[in-house]
Amino acid sequence: SGVSKKITVTVDLQEMGISKITTTKVNGVYKTGDVIPVTLLFTKKVKLSDVTITFNNEKPLENLSSDTLAISHQFNYTIADDHDLAKALNVKELSGTFKNESDEDVTDKITDSFGKLADNFKDNDIRIDTKSPTISSYSVERVSDTEHVSGKYYYLNADDTVIIEVNFNEKVE
């Protein structure tokens, strides 16, 4: 008579890698100084060491390190005034060290999966515009009954009303 023991085996076929790169910002145009949070979603929990992300061939973000095992890690990208204009924000390069739950180096698996993730940030249409808008024209309409114009200047009294229309060279919100 033998001894038997019941064991449970779980087969994990999920490859270690990046599943998606995303942001919580809505599509639109962002200016110098705006912060774009960028989240790397992984297929399994990882820790990061000296990880950098490069956007649109710009300067890489500062290194991010985290001893926390997590399925996602967030970077904050602050738009610099020398950012390449009118391009959609796109992750071009990812470097650093990635470790799994067993503290094994999985950097090659992460960078391989990043290389295959050709549509990273695909759903984003975040555009960068670091040029300030300029006034292209303006007009002034006097609504008050009294004339307060001397040459090209308008002089106003209390309770006078004027409507000023300003046109910019681009959409201003």
Side-chain angles (χ1 to χ4, degrees):
S1 77
V3 177
S4 68
K5 183 177 180 182
K6 184 178 179 180
I7 62 169
T8 302
V9 176
T10 303
V11 178
D12 183 359
L13 298 176
Q14 181 72 45
E15 278 289 321
M16 173 64 75
I18 297 176
S19 61
K20 189 172 186 179
I21 301 172
T22 187
T23 184
T24 55
K25 286 286 192 183
V26 297
N27 290 338
V29 177
Y30 293 87
K31 304 281 185 186
T32 300
D34 288 344
V35 176
I36 309 294
V38 177
T39 302
L40 299 176
L41 297 170
F42 297 90
T43 56
K44 297 181 179 184
K45 291 180 180 180
V46 295
K47 293 187 277 187
L48 312 175
S49 179
D50 295 326
V51 172
T52 60
I53 296 181
T54 304
F55 294 94
N56 297 11
N57 299 323
E58 303 292 329
K59 297 176 203 167
L61 293 177
E62 292 182 24
N63 291 354
L64 176 70
S65 294
S66 174
D67 287 333
T68 304
L69 272 169
I71 199 79
S72 68
H73 291 276
Q74 181 174 311
F75 292 75
N76 286 319
Y77 176 58
T78 302
I79 298 171
D81 57 359
D82 61 349
H83 185 101
D84 195 358
L85 302 177
K87 285 187 176 178
L89 195 60
N90 198 349
V91 179
K92 290 292 186 186
E93 188 177 326
L94 181 67
S95 62
T97 303
F98 300 85
K99 292 193 175 184
N100 66 10
E101 291 179 283
S102 302
D103 213 34
E104 298 168 324
D105 190 323
V106 292
T107 302
D108 288 343
K109 291 181 180 182
I110 297 295
T111 54
D112 286 349
S113 71
F114 173 75
K116 294 174 187 170
L117 193 64
D119 64 346
N120 74 72
F121 241 36
K122 179 181 175 189
D123 297 330
N124 122 59
D125 190 23
I126 291 176
R127 302 218 170 249
I128 309 301
D129 181 1
T130 56
K131 290 186 178 177
S132 299
T134 58
I135 296 174
S136 56
S137 66
Y138 69 93
S139 63
V140 180
E141 179 183 336
R142 183 178 47 82
V143 178
S144 301
D145 292 334
T146 56
E147 186 72 34
H148 303 292
V149 179
S150 173
K152 62 179 183 175
Y153 299 102
Y154 288 83
Y155 296 95
L156 303 175
N157 295 320
D159 298 324
D160 282 350
T161 303
V162 294
I163 297 172
I164 302 171
E165 182 178 316
V166 179
N167 297 303
F168 293 92
N169 66 332
E170 63 184 61
K171 184 178 177 181
V172 176
E173 295 181 19

